Amino acid sequence: MDSARLSRFNQTGPAGIRVSFEFFPPKTAEMEQSLWEAIARLAPLQPNFVSVTYGAGGSTRERTHATVKRILAETMLTPAAHLTCVAATRSEVDTVIGAYASAGVRHIVALRGDPLGGIGERFSPHPGGYENAADLVGGIKRIADVEISVSAYPEKHPESATVAADIDMLKAKVDAGASRAITQFFFENSLYLRYLDRVRASGINIPIVPGILPVQNFKQTKSFAERTGASVPDWLARRFDGLDEDPATRKLIAAAVAAEQVLDLVDQGVTDFHFYTMNRADLVYAICHLLGLRPGQQRQMRPQPFIETERA
Ligand SMILES: Cc1cc2nc3c(=O)[nH]c(=O)nc-3n(C[C@H](O)[C@H](O)[C@H](O)COP(=O)(O)OP(=O)(O)OC[C@H]3O[C@@H](n4cnc5c(N)ncnc54)[C@H](O)[C@@H]3O)c2cc1C
Protein backbone atom coordinates (compact mmCIF):
# COMPACT_ATOMS: atom_id res chain seq x y z
CA MET A 1 0.00 0.00 0.00
CA ASP A 2 1.20 3.47 -0.89
CA SER A 3 2.15 5.02 2.44
CA ALA A 4 1.85 8.59 1.11
CA ARG A 5 -1.77 7.91 0.17
CA LEU A 6 -2.48 6.22 3.47
CA SER A 7 -1.08 9.08 5.50
CA ARG A 8 -2.92 11.75 3.49
CA PHE A 9 -6.08 9.70 3.69
CA ASN A 10 -5.77 9.29 7.43
CA GLN A 11 -5.11 12.99 7.88
CA THR A 12 -8.15 13.95 5.87
CA GLY A 13 -10.21 11.12 7.30
CA PRO A 14 -13.49 10.05 5.78
CA ALA A 15 -15.17 12.91 7.65
CA GLY A 16 -13.18 15.33 5.49
CA ILE A 17 -14.55 13.87 2.25
CA ARG A 18 -17.79 15.39 0.99
CA VAL A 19 -19.79 14.05 -1.91
CA SER A 20 -22.81 15.11 -3.89
CA PHE A 21 -24.86 13.09 -6.35
CA GLU A 22 -26.53 14.18 -9.57
CA PHE A 23 -29.72 12.56 -10.86
CA PHE A 24 -31.95 13.24 -13.83
CA PRO A 25 -35.77 13.35 -13.65
CA PRO A 26 -37.30 10.06 -14.79
CA LYS A 27 -39.52 9.80 -17.87
CA THR A 28 -41.36 6.57 -17.13
CA ALA A 29 -42.67 4.70 -14.10
CA GLU A 30 -39.87 2.15 -14.54
CA MET A 31 -37.21 4.89 -14.58
CA GLU A 32 -38.87 6.47 -11.55
CA GLN A 33 -38.47 3.21 -9.70
CA SER A 34 -34.79 2.83 -10.54
CA LEU A 35 -34.14 6.48 -9.59
CA TRP A 36 -35.70 5.91 -6.19
CA GLU A 37 -33.79 2.70 -5.66
CA ALA A 38 -30.60 4.65 -6.39
CA ILE A 39 -31.59 7.48 -4.03
CA ALA A 40 -32.48 5.04 -1.24
CA ARG A 41 -29.15 3.25 -1.65
CA LEU A 42 -27.02 6.41 -1.75
CA ALA A 43 -28.89 8.49 0.84
CA PRO A 44 -27.30 6.80 3.90
CA LEU A 45 -23.91 8.07 2.70
CA GLN A 46 -25.21 11.49 3.76
CA PRO A 47 -24.21 13.51 0.69
CA ASN A 48 -23.67 17.22 1.02
CA PHE A 49 -26.54 17.63 -1.48
CA VAL A 50 -28.21 15.79 -4.36
CA SER A 51 -28.93 17.63 -7.58
CA VAL A 52 -31.63 17.09 -10.19
CA THR A 53 -30.99 18.16 -13.78
CA TYR A 54 -33.23 20.33 -15.94
CA GLY A 55 -33.83 18.82 -19.39
CA ALA A 56 -32.56 20.49 -22.54
CA GLY A 57 -34.69 23.49 -23.44
CA GLY A 58 -36.47 23.31 -20.11
CA SER A 59 -38.20 20.13 -21.32
CA THR A 60 -38.32 18.59 -17.84
CA ARG A 61 -39.50 21.64 -15.91
CA GLU A 62 -42.39 19.80 -14.26
CA ARG A 63 -40.51 16.52 -13.82
CA THR A 64 -37.49 18.26 -12.28
CA HIS A 65 -39.81 20.09 -9.92
CA ALA A 66 -41.71 16.92 -9.02
CA THR A 67 -38.49 14.99 -8.35
CA VAL A 68 -37.05 17.76 -6.18
CA LYS A 69 -40.32 18.02 -4.23
CA ARG A 70 -40.39 14.27 -3.67
CA ILE A 71 -36.80 14.35 -2.39
CA LEU A 72 -37.84 17.08 0.06
CA ALA A 73 -40.92 15.15 1.16
CA GLU A 74 -39.49 11.65 1.42
CA THR A 75 -35.85 12.06 2.39
CA MET A 76 -33.65 14.07 4.72
CA LEU A 77 -31.42 14.99 1.76
CA THR A 78 -30.75 18.54 0.60
CA PRO A 79 -31.88 18.83 -3.00
CA ALA A 80 -30.34 21.24 -5.50
CA ALA A 81 -32.53 22.02 -8.49
CA HIS A 82 -30.81 22.68 -11.83
CA LEU A 83 -32.28 25.57 -13.80
CA THR A 84 -31.46 26.93 -17.27
CA CYS A 85 -32.25 30.12 -19.20
CA VAL A 86 -33.28 28.35 -22.42
CA ALA A 87 -36.61 28.97 -24.14
CA ALA A 88 -38.15 31.00 -21.33
CA THR A 89 -38.73 34.64 -20.49
CA ARG A 90 -37.31 36.13 -17.32
CA SER A 91 -40.71 36.10 -15.73
CA GLU A 92 -41.22 32.41 -16.55
CA VAL A 93 -37.84 31.55 -15.04
CA ASP A 94 -38.58 33.80 -12.05
CA THR A 95 -41.82 31.88 -11.48
CA VAL A 96 -39.85 28.62 -11.35
CA ILE A 97 -37.36 30.17 -8.90
CA GLY A 98 -40.23 31.42 -6.72
CA ALA A 99 -41.91 27.99 -6.80
CA TYR A 100 -38.68 26.32 -5.69
CA ALA A 101 -38.17 28.83 -2.91
CA SER A 102 -41.70 28.35 -1.58
CA ALA A 103 -41.36 24.56 -1.79
CA GLY A 104 -38.35 24.84 0.54
CA VAL A 105 -35.54 24.41 -2.00
CA ARG A 106 -32.40 26.15 -0.73
CA HIS A 107 -29.91 25.34 -3.48
CA ILE A 108 -30.08 25.99 -7.24
CA VAL A 109 -27.57 24.95 -9.92
CA ALA A 110 -27.79 27.88 -12.35
CA LEU A 111 -26.94 27.21 -15.99
CA ARG A 112 -27.30 28.90 -19.32
CA GLY A 113 -28.28 25.61 -20.94
CA ASP A 114 -27.71 24.30 -24.44
CA PRO A 115 -29.29 25.91 -27.50
CA LEU A 116 -32.69 24.52 -28.47
CA GLY A 117 -31.22 22.98 -31.62
CA GLY A 118 -28.76 21.03 -29.45
CA ILE A 119 -25.06 21.28 -28.70
CA GLY A 120 -23.18 22.79 -31.65
CA GLU A 121 -25.95 25.25 -32.57
CA ARG A 122 -25.37 28.93 -31.83
CA PHE A 123 -27.05 29.96 -28.58
CA SER A 124 -29.25 33.01 -28.69
CA PRO A 125 -31.03 34.11 -25.55
CA HIS A 126 -34.81 33.97 -25.55
CA PRO A 127 -36.23 37.44 -26.23
CA GLY A 128 -36.87 38.80 -22.76
CA GLY A 129 -35.01 35.89 -21.22
CA TYR A 130 -31.86 35.69 -19.13
CA GLU A 131 -28.77 36.17 -21.31
CA ASN A 132 -26.45 33.63 -19.74
CA ALA A 133 -25.67 31.83 -16.50
CA ALA A 134 -24.18 34.92 -14.81
CA ASP A 135 -27.34 36.89 -15.56
CA LEU A 136 -29.42 34.01 -14.16
CA VAL A 137 -27.34 33.86 -10.96
CA GLY A 138 -28.06 37.58 -10.44
CA GLY A 139 -31.79 36.96 -11.04
CA ILE A 140 -31.92 34.12 -8.54
CA LYS A 141 -30.11 36.20 -5.92
CA ARG A 142 -32.69 38.97 -6.31
CA ILE A 143 -35.60 36.56 -5.77
CA ALA A 144 -34.51 33.92 -3.29
CA ASP A 145 -32.00 33.47 -0.52
CA VAL A 146 -30.54 30.23 -1.84
CA GLU A 147 -27.12 28.71 -2.34
CA ILE A 148 -26.09 28.86 -6.00
CA SER A 149 -23.77 26.45 -7.79
CA VAL A 150 -22.64 26.90 -11.40
CA SER A 151 -20.76 24.95 -14.05
CA ALA A 152 -17.02 25.01 -14.80
CA TYR A 153 -15.11 23.50 -17.71
CA PRO A 154 -11.56 22.20 -17.14
CA GLU A 155 -11.22 21.67 -20.92
CA LYS A 156 -13.18 24.88 -21.70
CA HIS A 157 -16.75 25.03 -22.92
CA PRO A 158 -16.97 24.14 -26.64
CA GLU A 159 -18.35 27.63 -27.42
CA SER A 160 -15.54 29.46 -25.61
CA ALA A 161 -12.78 30.85 -27.77
CA THR A 162 -10.17 30.38 -25.03
CA VAL A 163 -9.77 29.04 -21.51
CA ALA A 164 -9.26 32.65 -20.40
CA ALA A 165 -12.68 33.64 -21.82
CA ASP A 166 -14.19 30.66 -20.06
CA ILE A 167 -12.64 31.66 -16.74
CA ASP A 168 -13.89 35.23 -17.27
CA MET A 169 -17.43 33.81 -17.47
CA LEU A 170 -16.84 31.80 -14.30
CA LYS A 171 -15.67 35.01 -12.60
CA ALA A 172 -18.84 36.80 -13.74
CA LYS A 173 -20.93 33.99 -12.20
CA VAL A 174 -19.01 34.23 -8.92
CA ASP A 175 -19.34 38.03 -8.88
CA ALA A 176 -23.10 37.60 -9.39
CA GLY A 177 -23.34 35.36 -6.31
CA ALA A 178 -22.35 31.75 -7.10
CA SER A 179 -20.63 30.03 -4.21
CA ARG A 180 -19.60 26.73 -5.79
CA ALA A 181 -18.70 25.47 -9.26
CA ILE A 182 -19.11 21.88 -10.39
CA THR A 183 -16.98 20.78 -13.30
CA GLN A 184 -17.85 19.02 -16.48
CA PHE A 185 -16.51 15.46 -16.24
CA PHE A 186 -12.89 14.80 -17.20
CA PHE A 187 -10.67 11.73 -17.20
CA GLU A 188 -7.19 13.26 -16.95
CA ASN A 189 -6.74 14.72 -13.50
CA SER A 190 -3.89 16.91 -14.76
CA LEU A 191 -6.46 18.86 -16.84
CA TYR A 192 -8.49 19.64 -13.73
CA LEU A 193 -5.46 20.53 -11.64
CA ARG A 194 -4.04 22.85 -14.32
CA TYR A 195 -7.45 24.49 -14.69
CA LEU A 196 -7.70 24.92 -10.92
CA ASP A 197 -4.34 26.73 -10.91
CA ARG A 198 -5.58 29.13 -13.60
CA VAL A 199 -8.88 29.70 -11.78
CA ARG A 200 -7.08 30.48 -8.52
CA ALA A 201 -4.63 32.75 -10.36
CA SER A 202 -7.67 34.71 -11.59
CA GLY A 203 -8.67 35.42 -8.01
CA ILE A 204 -11.60 32.96 -7.91
CA ASN A 205 -11.75 31.32 -4.50
CA ILE A 206 -15.00 29.32 -4.45
CA PRO A 207 -14.78 25.49 -4.37
CA ILE A 208 -14.37 24.01 -7.87
CA VAL A 209 -15.79 20.55 -7.24
CA PRO A 210 -14.67 17.89 -9.72
CA GLY A 211 -17.54 16.21 -11.56
CA ILE A 212 -16.83 12.48 -11.71
CA LEU A 213 -18.52 10.32 -14.32
CA PRO A 214 -18.20 6.60 -13.64
CA VAL A 215 -18.20 5.05 -17.11
CA GLN A 216 -21.36 2.96 -17.04
CA ASN A 217 -21.30 2.63 -20.83
CA PHE A 218 -18.13 3.53 -22.74
CA LYS A 219 -19.78 4.08 -26.15
CA GLN A 220 -22.34 6.47 -24.68
CA THR A 221 -19.69 8.27 -22.64
CA LYS A 222 -17.53 8.76 -25.73
CA SER A 223 -20.34 10.26 -27.76
CA PHE A 224 -21.43 12.48 -24.84
CA ALA A 225 -17.82 13.60 -24.35
CA GLU A 226 -17.51 14.51 -28.04
CA ARG A 227 -20.56 16.76 -27.77
CA THR A 228 -19.49 18.46 -24.56
CA GLY A 229 -15.83 19.04 -25.41
CA ALA A 230 -14.45 16.61 -22.82
CA SER A 231 -11.53 14.53 -24.07
CA VAL A 232 -11.44 10.75 -23.90
CA PRO A 233 -7.85 9.60 -23.58
CA ASP A 234 -6.61 6.63 -25.64
CA TRP A 235 -5.70 4.72 -22.48
CA LEU A 236 -9.34 4.87 -21.40
CA ALA A 237 -10.57 3.56 -24.75
CA ARG A 238 -8.02 0.73 -24.54
CA ARG A 239 -9.30 -0.27 -21.11
CA PHE A 240 -12.82 -0.77 -22.46
CA ASP A 241 -11.66 -2.25 -25.74
CA GLY A 242 -13.36 -5.57 -26.57
CA LEU A 243 -15.83 -5.37 -23.69
CA ASP A 244 -18.94 -4.27 -25.62
CA GLU A 245 -20.62 -7.62 -24.98
CA ASP A 246 -19.21 -8.13 -21.48
CA PRO A 247 -21.09 -5.89 -19.02
CA ALA A 248 -19.75 -7.62 -15.92
CA THR A 249 -16.10 -6.96 -16.78
CA ARG A 250 -17.00 -3.47 -18.02
CA LYS A 251 -18.42 -2.65 -14.61
CA LEU A 252 -15.28 -3.85 -12.83
CA ILE A 253 -13.10 -1.79 -15.16
CA ALA A 254 -15.36 1.25 -14.66
CA ALA A 255 -15.00 0.92 -10.89
CA ALA A 256 -11.22 0.58 -11.18
CA VAL A 257 -10.96 3.63 -13.48
CA ALA A 258 -13.10 5.85 -11.22
CA ALA A 259 -11.32 4.58 -8.10
CA GLU A 260 -7.96 5.44 -9.57
CA GLN A 261 -9.21 8.89 -10.53
CA VAL A 262 -10.75 9.86 -7.19
CA LEU A 263 -7.93 8.43 -5.07
CA ASP A 264 -5.40 10.32 -7.14
CA LEU A 265 -7.43 13.50 -6.59
CA VAL A 266 -7.50 12.78 -2.84
CA ASP A 267 -3.71 12.49 -3.02
CA GLN A 268 -3.72 15.95 -4.62
CA GLY A 269 -5.72 17.34 -1.70
CA VAL A 270 -9.22 17.24 -3.21
CA THR A 271 -11.92 16.58 -0.62
CA ASP A 272 -15.21 17.29 -2.47
CA PHE A 273 -16.60 15.18 -5.31
CA HIS A 274 -19.76 15.49 -7.40
CA PHE A 275 -20.85 12.20 -8.98
CA TYR A 276 -22.84 11.98 -12.21
CA THR A 277 -24.82 8.91 -11.13
CA MET A 278 -26.92 8.39 -14.28
CA ASN A 279 -29.55 7.35 -11.73
CA ARG A 280 -27.61 4.22 -10.77
CA ALA A 281 -26.14 3.61 -7.37
CA ASP A 282 -23.81 0.64 -7.52
CA LEU A 283 -20.59 2.11 -8.98
CA VAL A 284 -20.96 5.39 -7.12
CA TYR A 285 -21.67 3.59 -3.85
CA ALA A 286 -18.53 1.46 -4.27
CA ILE A 287 -16.36 4.50 -5.05
CA CYS A 288 -17.72 6.36 -2.04
CA HIS A 289 -16.99 3.31 0.12
CA LEU A 290 -13.43 3.41 -1.15
CA LEU A 291 -13.28 7.09 -0.22
CA GLY A 292 -14.05 6.05 3.33
CA LEU A 293 -17.74 6.94 3.42
CA ARG A 294 -20.00 4.60 5.40
CA PRO A 295 -23.77 4.62 5.85
CA GLY A 296 -24.71 6.96 8.68
CA GLN A 297 -26.76 5.90 11.65
CA GLN A 298 -29.22 8.74 11.13
CA ARG A 299 -32.28 7.95 9.08
CA GLN A 300 -32.02 9.52 5.60
CA MET A 301 -35.38 8.45 4.20
CA ARG A 302 -38.51 9.71 5.94
CA PRO A 303 -40.94 7.02 7.06
CA GLN A 304 -43.92 7.13 4.71
CA PRO A 305 -47.44 7.29 6.13
CA PHE A 306 -49.19 3.92 6.05
CA ILE A 307 -51.96 4.07 3.48
CA GLU A 308 -54.59 1.46 4.13
CA THR A 309 -55.72 -0.20 0.93
CA GLU A 310 -59.43 -0.44 0.25
CA ARG A 311 -60.96 -3.38 2.02
CA ALA A 312 -63.04 -5.71 -0.04
C1 LIG B 1 -22.30 20.58 -13.55
C2 LIG B 1 -23.12 20.78 -14.80
C3 LIG B 1 -24.49 20.62 -14.75
C4 LIG B 1 -25.27 20.80 -15.89
N1 LIG B 1 -26.64 20.63 -15.80
C5 LIG B 1 -27.41 20.86 -16.87
C6 LIG B 1 -28.83 20.75 -16.80
O1 LIG B 1 -29.40 20.41 -15.76
N2 LIG B 1 -29.56 21.03 -17.91
C7 LIG B 1 -28.98 21.41 -19.08
O2 LIG B 1 -29.71 21.66 -20.06
N3 LIG B 1 -27.64 21.53 -19.19
C8 LIG B 1 -26.84 21.27 -18.13
N4 LIG B 1 -25.46 21.40 -18.23
C9 LIG B 1 -24.88 21.74 -19.54
C10 LIG B 1 -24.86 23.24 -19.80
O3 LIG B 1 -26.17 23.75 -19.83
C11 LIG B 1 -24.20 23.49 -21.15
O4 LIG B 1 -22.84 23.18 -21.11
C12 LIG B 1 -24.43 24.86 -21.75
O5 LIG B 1 -23.98 24.84 -23.09
C13 LIG B 1 -23.70 25.98 -21.05
O6 LIG B 1 -24.32 26.32 -19.88
P1 LIG B 1 -23.43 27.03 -18.71
O7 LIG B 1 -24.28 27.42 -17.62
O8 LIG B 1 -22.27 26.18 -18.46
O9 LIG B 1 -23.04 28.32 -19.55
P2 LIG B 1 -22.15 29.63 -19.21
O10 LIG B 1 -21.44 29.41 -17.91
O11 LIG B 1 -23.06 30.77 -19.33
O12 LIG B 1 -21.18 29.53 -20.38
C14 LIG B 1 -20.22 28.48 -20.50
C15 LIG B 1 -19.05 28.95 -21.33
O13 LIG B 1 -19.44 29.09 -22.68
C16 LIG B 1 -18.98 30.31 -23.19
N5 LIG B 1 -20.10 30.93 -23.87
C17 LIG B 1 -21.37 30.91 -23.46
N6 LIG B 1 -22.15 31.53 -24.35
C18 LIG B 1 -21.34 31.94 -25.33
C19 LIG B 1 -21.53 32.64 -26.52
N7 LIG B 1 -22.76 33.05 -26.89
N8 LIG B 1 -20.46 32.89 -27.31
C20 LIG B 1 -19.23 32.48 -26.94
N9 LIG B 1 -18.97 31.80 -25.81
C21 LIG B 1 -20.00 31.54 -25.03
C22 LIG B 1 -18.52 31.17 -22.08
O14 LIG B 1 -17.17 31.54 -22.27
C23 LIG B 1 -18.59 30.30 -20.87
O15 LIG B 1 -17.38 30.14 -20.24
C24 LIG B 1 -24.65 21.18 -17.12
C25 LIG B 1 -23.25 21.34 -17.18
C26 LIG B 1 -22.48 21.15 -16.03
C27 LIG B 1 -20.99 21.30 -16.12
Side-chain angles (χ1 to χ4, degrees), residues 86 112-125 157-160 227:
V86 181
R112 185 201 71 179
D114 287 318
L116 269 185
I119 302 174
E121 290 286 308
R122 196 180 156 67
F123 179 86
S124 32
H157 186 275
E159 286 171 52
S160 285
R227 285 182 287 132

Side-chain angles (χ1 to χ4, degrees), residues 54 82 111-114 151 153 157 159-160 166 169 173:
Y54 201 71
H82 291 218
L111 303 142
R112 185 201 71 179
D114 287 318
S151 62
Y153 297 89
H157 186 275
E159 286 171 52
S160 285
D166 216 64
M169 175 56 94
K173 295 190 279 193

Side-chain angles (χ1 to χ4, degrees), residues 82 125 144 196 234 301:
H82 291 218
L196 198 59
D234 289 344
M301 306 294 284

Side-chain angles (χ1 to χ4, degrees), residues 10 16 40 47 83 90 156 173 210 231 235 241 254 265 275 277 290:
N10 281 347
L83 181 61
R90 276 172 189 258
K156 88 176 180 59
K173 295 190 279 193
S231 60
W235 59 259
D241 188 29
L265 287 170
F275 288 97
T277 69
L290 204 58

Side-chain angles (χ1 to χ4, degrees), residues 91-224:
S91 86
E92 284 165 339
V93 174
D94 292 353
T95 304
V96 177
I97 299 166
Y100 278 132
S102 45
V105 175
R106 293 285 166 264
H107 187 169
I108 291 180
V109 182
L111 303 142
R112 185 201 71 179
D114 287 318
L116 269 185
I119 302 174
E121 290 286 308
R122 196 180 156 67
F123 179 86
S124 32
H126 187 276
Y130 285 103
E131 294 269 323
N132 54 37
D135 196 19
L136 177 61
V137 172
I140 296 169
K141 275 280 161 202
R142 278 190 292 278
I143 297 169
D145 179 22
V146 293
E147 189 177 348
I148 303 176
S149 295
V150 291
S151 62
Y153 297 89
E155 298 182 71
K156 88 176 180 59
H157 186 275
E159 286 171 52
S160 285
T162 59
V163 177
D166 216 64
I167 293 177
D168 284 348
M169 175 56 94
L170 180 59
K171 181 116 180 41
K173 295 190 279 193
V174 176
D175 291 345
S179 59
R180 174 191 298 96
I182 301 167
T183 76
Q184 184 60 276
F185 65 86
F186 57 88
F187 296 107
E188 292 282 14
N189 287 347
S190 58
L191 293 169
Y192 165 78
L193 295 166
R194 203 179 317 144
Y195 173 74
L196 198 59
D197 285 345
R198 293 189 69 165
V199 166
R200 296 294 179 238
S202 317
I204 298 171
N205 295 315
I206 61 166
I208 310 291
V209 180
I212 306 293
L213 177 68
V215 183
Q216 317 260 6
N217 177 323
F218 181 71
K219 270 190 179 164
Q220 254 175 28
T221 302
K222 196 163 181 314
S223 99
F224 191 46

Side-chain angles (χ1 to χ4, degrees), residues 1-13 189 259-268 290:
M1 164 111 30
D2 178 340
S3 60
R5 171 175 295 167
L6 189 64
S7 62
R8 180 189 291 277
F9 204 62
N10 281 347
Q11 269 171 33
T12 312
N189 287 347
E260 195 175 276
Q261 179 173 25
V262 295
L263 290 178
D264 179 53
L265 287 170
V266 169
D267 282 348
Q268 306 292 334
L290 204 58

Side-chain angles (χ1 to χ4, degrees), residues 58-72:
S59 55
T60 65
R61 185 184 305 186
E62 280 76 26
R63 279 187 281 128
T64 300
H65 200 268
T67 305
V68 166
K69 270 182 87 172
R70 190 170 164 194
I71 291 171
L72 275 172

